[in-house]
Structure formats: structure tokens, C-alpha cells
Amino acid sequence: MIGKLTGILAERNPPQIVVDCHGVGYEVDVPMSTFYNLPAAGERVSLLTHFVVREDAQILYGFGTAAERAAFRQLIKISGVGPRTALGVLSGMSVSELSQAITLQEAGRLVKIPGIGKKTAERLLLELKGKLGAEITLPAHAATDNQADILQALVALGYSDKEAAAALKALPQDVAVGEGIKLALRALAK
């Protein structure tokens, strides 16, 4: 019903904002990833939206990118995952991180998000496999299987996707997995 809002950002109260569109203030719930990228109050903002009508409420959800809204829509299709949980997932990790977790079937990364238990994480991995994870697999520079394995190992060791990707860039293209992990760990220790 309401697909996009463009107006003046009137209020910022995480995770809710108010967008003034020609005198009408729309309360919009946004994931933290969108919230952090919003302009200051009083400035112009444009958000893609998803409108949810329930028996007891009508709620408008806003997103800074089409990928966030698409991921949100995929998440709420899953049994047991409502809009609040989907918003929590997108607040806990970026769309690319979520896609990578799905592609690599890493339930442990999803369980770290508040409100996501082991069963819900496994259901997300199962139902989103091929729907969301296929869109963004591994970073473009992880061209070979060895590089993908090195990246996965670094993430499993607790490094963020950005840290692991940066360490991977510094490695030779044809490095063996074991040697690559050692070199990447040395680079990350500096």
C-alpha cells in the first residue's frame, strides 16, 4: 500500500523514526543498519517501506536500500519469524553478512542476534537457502576455492567479514589454504 516515503526526518528514537510528509508524520520502524545511515533531524530522507496490517496494529517498516527490504520480506515469509524478529535480524547483521551466513550455513552467526535461538536460526538457514544466500555468496575477491576456505576459516575464528576480507586481499591468489590462514592471522595480529 505504501511503498516509499520521502519527506523531512522529524524525530529519531531508535528503532522508530517520524518522517514528515507535507504535514503528515509517519511513524516508521527501521533496522539499526538503516538508522545509522539516516541524515540529521530536519533533513530530507527517502525510505522504501513495507506496510503490515495486523488485527491490533498497522505498522510501517522503512529501509534504506532495496536489498534490506527484500531480505525483510523473505524473512517474514518464514513460519515463526514476524516483522519484529526480521527487524532484529537486519539490525544484528547487514544483508551481505546474512546472505553469507546462509550460503555458508553458519547457524552460530545467527544465534548471536538477540531473539534468535538455535531452532529459529536453523529454520532461517533452511528456508532462505537459495533465496537470499545465492544473491551474495562470497566477496568478489574470494575467487578461488582456497580463498573461500581461508575467508570462512577467519570468520569462524571470530574475525568480522571486513577484517577477513581485508586480510584475504593481501594474500597471493594461488596460496594454499593452510599457508593462507597462517599469513592472514599474522597480518591480522599486527
Side-chain angles (χ1 to χ4, degrees):
M1 177 179 207
I2 300 172
K4 182 179 178 183
L5 278 181
T6 300
I8 304 299
L9 183 59
E11 293 179 30
R12 295 170 53 120
N13 299 315
Q16 192 174 72
I17 63 170
V18 175
V19 179
D20 183 337
C21 298
H22 303 288
V24 178
Y26 291 93
E27 291 180 343
V28 184
D29 288 1
V30 296
M32 295 312 290
S33 53
T34 296
F35 188 84
Y36 293 135
N37 291 316
L38 289 173
E43 293 187 26
R44 192 163 186 78
V45 67
S46 186
L47 296 170
L48 297 171
T49 61
H50 182 85
F51 188 55
V52 174
V53 177
R54 296 189 332 221
E55 191 175 305
D56 60 339
Q58 295 181 10
I59 306 168
L60 195 57
Y61 295 94
F63 307 93
T65 66
E68 278 184 332
R69 182 171 69 175
F72 177 83
R73 288 177 171 170
Q74 286 293 331
L75 286 165
I76 61 173
K77 288 179 185 176
I78 298 170
S79 175
V81 177
R84 290 275 176 219
T85 303
L87 210 61
V89 170
L90 293 175
S91 292
M93 59 180 22
S94 70
V95 175
S96 61
E97 290 171 335
L98 175 62
S99 297
Q100 190 175 33
I102 292 164
T103 300
L104 300 174
Q105 293 292 290
E106 295 177 328
R109 288 174 70 185
L110 296 174
V111 173
K112 292 178 184 176
I113 299 169
I116 302 293
K118 186 177 178 186
K119 287 183 181 180
T120 305
E122 290 171 356
R123 190 176 323 120
L124 288 173
L125 292 177
L126 178 67
E127 296 206 25
L128 291 177
K129 188 175 183 178
K131 293 178 184 174
L132 189 64
E135 292 173 14
I136 305 168
T137 52
L138 293 169
H141 55 270
T144 67
D145 288 338
N146 285 356
Q147 289 178 322
D149 290 343
I150 295 166
L151 183 71
Q152 186 175 358
L154 293 173
V155 170
L157 288 170
Y159 291 100
S160 72
D161 292 328
K162 289 179 182 177
E163 291 171 326
L168 191 63
K169 284 181 186 177
L171 300 178
Q173 292 290 329
D174 57 348
V175 69
V177 176
E179 186 62 24
I181 293 171
K182 288 178 191 173
L183 292 173
L185 287 173
R186 279 190 207 130
L188 287 166
K190 291 181 183 177

